Amino acid sequence: MADKSYLEWPFFDGRHVDLEAALDEWAAQNVRGVHSPDVDADCRRLVRMLGEGGWLRHAIAGESQAVDTRAICLIRETLARHNGLADFAFGMQGLGSGAISLFGTEAQREHYLPRVARGEAIAAFALSEPAAGSDVAAMACAARQDGDSYVLDGEKTWISNGGIADFYVVFARTGEAPGARGISAFVVDAGTPGFEIAERIEVIAPHPLARLRFDACRVPASRRIGAAGQGFKVAMATLDVFRTSVAAAALGFARRAFDEALAHATSRQMFGQLLSDFQLTQAKLAEMATRIDAGALLTYRAAWQRDRGARVTKEAAMAKMTATESAQQVIDAAVQMFGGLGVTSGHPVEQLYREIRALRIYEGATEVQQLIIARELLGQAKQARENEGETR
């Protein structure tokens, strides 16, 4: 039985506790066994199930519903504990449509978001490029305005849901200013002439992933999200929500690994005693539990602050860095505790070992989070000095 005591923390309202309980029961009955060699089919099936179950509506904002970051995080943590691909399916629906939720026009929201919420349309977020991953300012994909349309040329890569998405939120250079200030965001429907899936990419924890190519791809100007040149702002605001949810997914993986390790340690006989009787095992379990709580505190602090309207760039980066790095260590310790069984293909901790590795990279690698945190701290220090000088 997973430890649910964190739900008593003051970050949560009663509705969050009820949401987690209902989803935990639903996930145990519906998604834990969804695994087959056809990852695309599994992902489509999970999106449809999550939509039919009513869970995807929490990933988007409607006219009467603001984005609830704590709900998104609890859902991702719970799904990750049950099935990594289910977490992926939910998370990418939120990330792929997040820019529309936050900055879309009324027409864009009405056209895309209800279908995303019902699981009838799969969304994707296309920011990274072959030479512009963490360095967004190096983006080469370009969009030039031509009458009442934009014409896109270039490539995107490492795009989750690439190949199965019904639409893509694509960021391209429109040239209003140098660097990150001259980027705009567009919705590009799958099947648009000039848009193709250039390559499917396989990774150690299988999920739909692709490289995209745009060759004179014409998109109506009405599909631009937000103002021209504001694409970087759109991307960063979207990531501030879903970067925190990546931390929550890492928590789900870590909690599942810890539960597996604890059950194993308290039942495995070694040298006439239980594995859990050894002080080395006890020390490791204590370290694992502490790392999980540390990541959870940072994660739900960031989610709570964002839901209160605060800017959480630093806090989200701290949460993402700490939770993903800690989860890697927790899962590695669980694998070690299982010995040879832990590296057996298909074992829960072996699957978790493959699942967690990408989370330390996508939506900003750990090293990028460190830079973000330092930049924010230095900016705060500079502002404090300037304010102090003004009061003298």
Side-chain angles (χ1 to χ4, degrees), residues 203-224:
V203 289
I204 57 175
H207 65 264
L209 196 69
R211 176 167 58 90
L212 318 179
R213 180 180 295 126
F214 302 90
D215 183 7
C217 177
R218 185 172 293 272
V219 178
S222 61
R223 296 293 173 86
R224 191 186 68 215

Side-chain angles (χ1 to χ4, degrees), residues 145-160:
Q145 191 158 13
D146 182 20
D148 59 357
S149 299
Y150 282 86
V151 180
L152 276 65
D153 289 283
E155 290 192 351
K156 297 290 177 179
T157 194
W158 310 114
I159 306 307
S160 293

